[in-house]
Amino acid sequence: AIGMTHTHFIDCCGLTSDNQHFTTARDVSIMSRELITKYPKIFDYTKIWMEDITHTTKQGTKKFTLSSTNKLLKQYQWTTGLKTGSTSVAKYCLSATAKKDNIELIAVIMGAPEPKIRFLEARKMLDYGFATAKIYEDTDTNSFKPIKVAKGKKDYVDVFVKDNYKYLDVSGMDFSKIEKKVSFSENIQAPIEIETKVGKITYLYGGKEIGYVDILAKDMVEKANFVDYIKKIGVQFLII
């Protein structure tokens, strides 16, 4: 299985021999994605090939060296982790993560008859993924003018997009043909909280929607009271 990225972790990737518990490559890829997405600091450890450890007990201090069981760290330059595992029934398994050109992949190997085969097969899958996958990212999403607000202490509010839109393609899309449609909610009224949704950017390819991002209010706008309306009338009178 191959999956895209995103604490307790299993010791093996497959079938355990004691209680006959089963899992799948998809299950392991989902767990791996959750781990690296929610706890990216894990990479500080899974990228380590060799580390000197100092073990202190009542009998004294002893130093020894630990090396990773993930041979991809030495064999594949884009490797970032993640976990090897094996049992007598599950054979040799691996959840391998790698990052190249801002694309992160997860390759899961299960049931390899020999340790080296899991690494060889993972490299093939990752090479295929990097050769096939492309990411479209719209970085031009924060050039909006302030939008009109009704019944507010302020007549306008600045807006922004929190995260750039990204789209993963493995089918050979022509990104230059992606269309972008901006739309705002009708009759936007106060009160408005920070990050209230006021619109969205929709992305289309071949006339079909492939995704969207929300346009949010950057500031809070309180509802106008009687005094605020009097002030606005006064300002308009002075302008006239």
Side-chain angles (χ1 to χ4, degrees), residues 14-39:
L15 169 68
T16 60
S17 58
D18 49 1
N19 294 318
Q20 299 293 294
H21 296 301
F22 292 86
T23 189
T24 66
R26 178 179 174 82
D27 292 337
V28 175
S29 67
I30 291 172
M31 286 188 287
S32 300
R33 182 183 61 188
E34 285 294 296
L35 176 64
I36 65 178
T37 301
K38 294 182 177 179
Y39 307 96

Side-chain angles (χ1 to χ4, degrees), residues 90-103:
K91 305 303 181 184
Y92 297 96
C93 308
L94 170 68
S95 177
T97 58
K99 183 175 182 179
K100 177 186 177 184
D101 298 333
N102 206 32
I103 293 177

Side-chain angles (χ1 to χ4, degrees), residues 77-138:
Q77 68 183 103
W78 297 289
T79 300
T80 57
L82 181 66
K83 184 72 173 68
T84 60
S86 63
T87 69
S88 60
V89 179
K91 305 303 181 184
Y92 297 96
C93 308
L94 170 68
S95 177
T97 58
K99 183 175 182 179
K100 177 186 177 184
D101 298 333
N102 206 32
I103 293 177
E104 294 185 81
L105 299 178
I106 301 170
V108 177
I109 306 298
M110 303 175 70
E114 299 177 19
K116 64 181 181 181
I117 291 179
R118 59 183 167 184
F119 302 119
L120 177 63
E121 293 301 317
R123 290 179 62 177
K124 290 180 181 178
M125 293 173 69
L126 292 169
D127 280 341
Y128 172 79
F130 287 130
T132 305
K134 295 189 302 177
I135 288 183
Y136 166 85
E137 181 176 6
D138 181 16

Side-chain angles (χ1 to χ4, degrees), residues 144 159-160 182-184 196-201 213-216:
F144 301 109
V159 296
F160 75 109
V182 178
S183 59
F184 289 97
T196 295
K197 179 181 175 181
V198 294
K200 71 176 183 177
I201 306 175
V213 290
D214 291 331
I215 301 174
L216 309 174

Side-chain angles (χ1 to χ4, degrees), residues 165 167 200-212:
Y165 174 73
Y167 182 82
K200 71 176 183 177
I201 306 175
T202 304
Y203 297 86
L204 305 104
Y205 187 80
K208 295 182 179 180
E209 181 178 333
I210 59 173
Y212 69 91

